[in-house]
């Protein structure tokens, strides 16, 4: 046989002479037969043959004076016999990484949409990244469609190897792209959003507010506000911000006010980053001079700008940051505890205000207001306690709230004695010891522990209540309660109590309740934690791990999260036998950890390395016999985890989005106490170990892998499940088992194709997605309590409800009443939701909120009149796209869809602005309330060439001569339309 170079040369010279449908001749002395191509020639063969031949009629090989003709089918079979296995592996790699990418894009989209609802705007870099993900998704889906179209085998499709490699490369690039920490900004039109402010306490606060506002109208460049911690500086400047916003918005928004909260220890580059985020600028942290130039140029181009820097700790030169102090129409307003900072920032055209404490009478008024009825019962001693708060509003509020439950004079005396012992503390730091009293007054040790745990997170960290409660449970802070549901209830009760006690500030939004710590409250908690064995250096942008002198044997919890630590060398081997929690998550440069680092941490229970690009875990982890939680979420470079066979106490393991991990760690099948396992986005087979994990309560498996029904039925304690099941037969077997009935939440994908159920539904707890399932062969048993249902490219579906009998219809009538979301895509034979003649009881779809119908070419009318009137009371989001024959949303009668063929080449004018009708009265005028009685409704139409009207009694929509005007967008633009719709307050439900 010829060499690799000879074969490659012959293939190239031969292929260049023929078209993709012509024969290809090869010399026999170069290649005797296609069956004996060497492995070294595989790359050239794949590249040349794959590029040049698109199902040719025949292949011709020249051997001496004879020609041997091979049919295309023979070529394909032989080719894939050699290279099919390799391609299958490449497809699997592409799918697993796509799973991670799309899940990450979904998470980012949710965060961006949530921020947009508060008035922020997504950054251009984020928008471009999401758009690139959409483009890759289209290419990716094309490959999947080709594979499915080729007899469900990747081995029958030409050009797949090249396309798979290309798409995988693009996916890797997107995964490796590091997005900015802040995905959105609140600059320009979004900067002038007035804060919600509390009331100003004391007459001096009102006078200070008037003085500041008047100075901003004068030729004053810098205003410095200084005073003790907790004296009300932040409250004062939030009132300034609100007044300026109201004023600027009334004059057309040509002037802007920006508010930046400064964290302790913030560097020049960190300050630049926060300011740039407000301005909507993309800067590189490493290039301080370039960032300063960009910030300077942006402010100078503004007509009038006020920048508020709250809680500044150190002085800086404004020019180093890029602030044009004293130039143009730029004003700087700052608050600090240190008067020196005010004097050093700028001495020209500056004014300084020293915020004074409240008077005794003002202090008593505030204390009495927060204390409530107890102020009458213990007035004399309560006045003395209020006086000890030194006129600091924050201390007055916290002490008063903590004393509400004090019902004996002895308690009041004890608190007064404690406060008297603090009189030697200087005023600058006095508020922190005073706040300590509110902590000491907590009678429940569980409440104290949960509060202190919050201090492990960086300053200004926002807590989601659900996530925080789960973290408390993971740490064992709620272990006194055996029942899991009662643990969760107790956790939410504690969270609410911390809010009521003002130890956490409420931070509610449209996506649930949250909270955050006041910086002084956190400062107090950090000091208390230090006494109890906490080492907290979170969010300080450290590049190296603390030295061994900071580690001691009494440490029990260490938080180094959200830093820039690059590696942990063998020089650091802390002796911390009592350390139970180590948080290293969010260190985006952490690539290696010495094996010695964990060698003397025998008591470690929780180890969190999430979002660190570490490649290998040290073998010393195998000896952490007390470990209960190993968290490796999004360690995208991780390719090795040592044996876990000795970690018999492990209850929680997260290896989700570990895209480079190819094998499960040795010994996992023996982790009988494991209760939580998340391996979504991790290309590892898990079906072989499930039977040994008998105590699992929550299991999350990505769609790059699959779970077998027989294995799932052995998990008797399972409460929450996310996974893919290969086919309808196994799905039916599982959902009819007793194990399935015990599930509280589930998200199931059924079918051989890659899909991710998390991309289908975001607002329901129980959902099923059928993808590429032949329903003619196996009829699915849809669970009666399902809330979200998706059917994608499933053959044999004409109607969802075809009979009143539950055994002969896809969705029983009783199940329809539970549906909240319904997505139908690529159902070629689909004709309608309910077969004509089948009576649909009133209210059968009464809970349906979202309905999406895409690429269903067989449907002409979506709803009948009677169905629309009696069953769509709560429908808020209706999306119809790429349905070529659809004419009406609501048919004029209950007759079936006509089967008349129509010309698909009618002229249609496509526009690129979302065609969204947010309110029913704008859709069909006065008749709207008959069909859509709900007060909130949104409609999105996309590429419907034969669409005529919403219903027969309505007018043509967007009629322009003989053309109709409809929407054509990418999926990203469609989501943007939904986001704008939600931001306008016209819908409650947004995906």
């Amino acid at each position: 046989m010829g060499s690799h170079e000879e074969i490659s040369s012959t293939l190239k010279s031969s292929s260049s002479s023929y078209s993709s449908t012509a024969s290809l001749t090869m010399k026999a002395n170069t290649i005797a037969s296609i069956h004996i191509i060497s492995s070294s020639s595989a790359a050239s063969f794949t590249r040349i043959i794959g590029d040049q031949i698109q199902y040719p009629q025949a292949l011709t090989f020249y051997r001496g004076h004879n020609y041997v003709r091979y049919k295309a089918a023979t070529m394909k079979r032989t080719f894939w016999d050699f290279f099919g296995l390799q391609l299958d592996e490449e497809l699997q790699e592409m799918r697993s990484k796509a799973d991670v990418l799309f899940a990450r894009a979904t998470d980012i989209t949710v965060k961006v949409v949530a921020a947009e609802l508060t008035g922020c705007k997504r950054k251009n870099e984020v928008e471009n990244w999401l758009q690139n993900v959409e483009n890759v998704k289209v290419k990716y889906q094309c490959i999947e469609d080709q594979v499915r179209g080729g007899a469900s085998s990747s081995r029958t499709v030409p050009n797949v190897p090249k396309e798979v490699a290309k798409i995988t490369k693009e996916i890797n690039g997107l995964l490796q792209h590091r997005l900015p920490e802040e995905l959105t900004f609140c600059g320009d039109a979004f900067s002038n959003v007035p804060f919600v402010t509390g009331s100003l306490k004391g007459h001096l606060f009102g006078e200070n507010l008037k003085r500041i506002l008047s100075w901003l109208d004068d030729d004053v460049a810098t205003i410095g506000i200084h005073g003790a911690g907790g004296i009300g500086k932040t409250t004062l400047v939030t009132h300034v911000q609100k007044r300026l916003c109201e004023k600027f918005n009334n004059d057309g928004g040509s002037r802007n006010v920006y508010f930046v909260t400064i964290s302790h220890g913030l560097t020049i580059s960190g300050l630049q980053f926060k300011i740039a985020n407000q301005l909507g600028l993309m800067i590189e942290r490493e290039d301080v001079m370039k960032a300063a130039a960009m910030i300077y140029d942006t402010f100078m181009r503004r007509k009038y700008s006020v920048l508020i820097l709250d809680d500044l700790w150190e002085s800086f030169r404004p020019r180093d940051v890029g602030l044009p102090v004293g130039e143009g129409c730029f004003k700087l307003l700052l608050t600090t505890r240190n008067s020196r900072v005010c004097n050093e920032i700028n001495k020209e055209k500056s004014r300084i205000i020293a915020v004074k404490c409240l008077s005794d009478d003002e202090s008593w008024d505030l204390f009495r207001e927060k204390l409530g009825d107890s102020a009458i019962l213990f007035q004399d001693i309560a006045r003395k306690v209020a006086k000890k708060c030194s006129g600091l509003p924050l201390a007055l509020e916290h002490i008063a709230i903590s004393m509400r439950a004090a019902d004996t004079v002895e308690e009041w005396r004890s608190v007064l004695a404690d406060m008297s012992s603090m009189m030697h503390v200087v005023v600058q730091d006095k508020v922190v010891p005073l706040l300590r009293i509110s902590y000491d007054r907590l009678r429940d040790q569980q409440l104290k522990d949960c509060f202190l745990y919050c201090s492990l997170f960086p300053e200004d960290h926002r807590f989601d209540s659900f996530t925080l409660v789960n973290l408390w449970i993971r740490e064992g802070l709620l272990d006194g309660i055996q029942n899991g549901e009662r643990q969760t209830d107790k956790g939410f009760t504690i969270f609410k109590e911390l809010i009521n006690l003002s130890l956490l500030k409420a931070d509610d939004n449209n996506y649930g309740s949250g909270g955050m710590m006041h910086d002084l409250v956190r400062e107090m908690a950090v000091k208390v934690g230090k006494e109890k064995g906490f080492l907290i250096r979170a969010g300080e942008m450290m590049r190296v791990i603390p030295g061994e002198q900071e580690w001691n044997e009494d440490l029990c919890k260490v938080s180094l999260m959200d830093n820039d630590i690059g590696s942990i060398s063998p020089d650091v081997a802390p002796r911390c036998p009592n350390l139970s929690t180590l948080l290293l998550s969010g260190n985006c440069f952490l690539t290696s950890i010495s094996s010695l680092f964990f060698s003397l941490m025998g008591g470690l229970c929780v180890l969190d390395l999430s979002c660190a690009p570490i490649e290998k875990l040290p073998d010393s982890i195998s000896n952490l016999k007390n470990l209960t939680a190993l968290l490796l979420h999004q360690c995208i470079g991780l390719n090795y985890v040592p044996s876990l066979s000795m970690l018999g106490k492990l209850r929680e393991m997260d290896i989700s989005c570990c895209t480079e991990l190819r094998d499960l760690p040795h010994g996992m099948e023996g982790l009988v106490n494991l209760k939580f396992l998340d391996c979504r986005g991790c290309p590892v087979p898990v079906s072989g170990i499930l039977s040994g994990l008998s105590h699992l309560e929550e299991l999350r498996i990505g769609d790059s892998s699959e779970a077998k029904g027989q294995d799932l039925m052995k998990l008797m304690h399972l409460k929450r499940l996310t996974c893919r099941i290969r086919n309808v037969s196994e799905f039916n077997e599982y959902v009819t088992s007793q194990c399935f009935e015990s599930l509280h939440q589930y998200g199931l994908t059924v079918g051989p194709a890659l899909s991710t159920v998390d991309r289908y539904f975001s607002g329901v707890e129980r959902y099923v997605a059928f993808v590429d399932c032949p329903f003619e062969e196996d009829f699915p048993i849809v669970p009666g309590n399902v809330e979200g249902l998706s059917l994608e490219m499933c053959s044999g579906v004409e109607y969802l409800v075809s009979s009143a009998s539950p055994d002969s219809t896809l969705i029983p009538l009783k199940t329809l009443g539970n549906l909240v979301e319904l997505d139908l895509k690529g159902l070629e034979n689909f004709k309608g939701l309910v077969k004509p003649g089948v009576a649909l009881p009133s209210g059968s779809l009464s809970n349906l909120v979202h309905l999406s119908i895409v690429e269903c070419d067989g449907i002409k009318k979506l709803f009948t009149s009677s169905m629309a009137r009696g069953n769509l009371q709560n429908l808020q989001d209706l999306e119809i796209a790429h349905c070529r024959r659809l004419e009406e949303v609501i048919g004029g009668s209950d007759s079936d869809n006509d089967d008349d063929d129509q010309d698909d080449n009618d002229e249609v004018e496509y526009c690129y602005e979302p065609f969204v009708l947010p309110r029913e009265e704008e859709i069909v005028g006065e008749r709207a309330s008959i069909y859509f009685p709900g007060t909130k409704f949104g409609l999105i139409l996309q590429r419907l060439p034969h669409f005529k009207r919403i219903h027969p009694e309505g007018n043509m929509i967007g009629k322009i001569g003989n053309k109709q005007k409809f929407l054509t967008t990418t999926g990203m633009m469609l989501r943007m339309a939904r986001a704008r719709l939600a931001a306008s307050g016209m819908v409650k439900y947004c995906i």
Side-chain angles (χ1 to χ4, degrees), residues 324-505:
V325 174
E327 300 182 49
C329 295
F330 176 83
K331 310 282 187 177
L332 176 63
L333 176 60
L334 60 92
T335 71
T336 178
R337 302 184 199 181
N338 193 336
S339 60
R340 175 183 56 82
V341 174
C342 294
N343 293 320
E344 293 179 353
I345 290 291
N346 183 53
K347 296 183 179 180
E348 298 180 1
K349 297 181 180 180
S350 63
R351 298 289 187 273
I352 296 176
I353 289 180
V355 180
K356 304 296 184 181
C357 298
L358 298 178
S359 66
D360 288 349
D361 289 340
E362 290 170 339
S363 296
W364 170 242
D365 290 340
L366 177 58
F367 192 85
R368 182 178 55 187
E369 175 189 336
K370 297 298 179 181
L371 181 61
D373 295 339
S374 297
I376 301 175
L377 298 175
F378 305 98
Q379 182 170 348
D380 292 340
I381 194 169
R383 276 184 174 274
K384 295 178 181 179
V385 170
K387 189 173 182 179
K388 292 293 184 182
C389 292
S390 303
L392 300 173
L394 186 66
L396 287 162
E397 292 184 11
H398 277 77
I399 298 296
I401 291 172
S402 69
M403 295 301 293
R404 286 174 180 172
D407 53 5
T408 65
V409 70
E410 288 79 12
E411 289 182 82
W412 282 93
R413 289 174 181 168
S414 175
V415 170
L416 182 60
D418 291 340
M419 298 178 72
S420 298
S421 65
M422 300 174 184
M423 293 304 295
H424 65 280
V425 183
V426 295
V427 174
Q428 186 80 358
D429 298 322
K430 198 164 190 175
V431 70
V432 174
L434 289 173
L435 293 176
R436 171 67 183 264
I437 293 177
S438 63
Y439 167 79
D440 292 335
R441 290 280 306 159
L442 298 177
R443 301 181 180 183
D444 187 348
Q445 185 60 44
Q446 208 169 46
L447 188 63
K448 287 184 174 182
D449 293 340
C450 291
F451 167 71
L452 289 181
Y453 182 83
C454 298
S455 67
L456 296 174
F457 293 83
E459 188 175 333
D460 298 325
H461 180 82
R462 283 172 168 78
F463 299 99
D464 169 73
S465 57
F466 181 80
T467 302
L468 185 58
V469 169
N470 282 333
L471 291 174
W472 288 338
I473 294 174
R474 173 192 297 164
E475 288 284 334
L477 302 181
L478 305 176
D479 274 358
I481 306 170
Q482 297 300 320
N483 182 277
E485 186 174 347
R486 289 182 58 197
Q487 273 188 332
T488 302
D489 292 342
K490 178 64 174 178
F492 280 108
T493 301
I494 290 176
F495 179 83
K496 186 65 176 178
E497 189 167 356
L498 291 175
I499 294 289
N500 293 336
L501 292 171
S502 294
L503 293 173
L504 290 179
K505 295 189 297 182

Side-chain angles (χ1 to χ4, degrees), residues 809-828:
T809 187
L810 181 59
I811 302 181
L813 293 178
K814 63 178 182 179
T815 304
L816 288 178
N818 294 322
L819 281 181
V820 176
E821 299 190 27
L822 178 61
D823 285 348
L824 307 175
K825 181 179 179 181
L827 307 180
E828 296 181 355

Side-chain angles (χ1 to χ4, degrees), residues 620-635:
S620 55
I621 285 182
S622 299
N623 299 320
L624 301 178
K625 298 181 181 180
N626 291 301
L627 202 65
T628 58
L630 179 58
L631 310 172
L632 306 171
H633 167 69
Q634 210 167 328
C635 292

Side-chain angles (χ1 to χ4, degrees), residues 701-727:
I701 303 176
D703 291 317
S704 57
S705 186
E706 66 181 38
K708 296 181 179 179
Q710 291 289 342
D711 291 335
L712 294 175
M713 284 188 285
K714 297 177 182 178
L715 304 179
M716 303 298 294
H717 300 281
L718 204 60
K719 303 299 181 185
R720 290 168 291 275
L721 172 65
T722 301
C723 72
R724 178 173 67 87
I725 299 176
R726 177 186 291 271
N727 54 50

Side-chain angles (χ1 to χ4, degrees), residues 104 125 174-181 563-564 586 588-589:
R104 182 184 177 194
E125 181 183 2
L174 289 168
L175 285 172
Q176 292 169 6
H177 183 87
R178 189 177 182 184
L179 290 171
E181 295 178 12
N563 281 296
D564 296 331
C588 298
F589 301 101

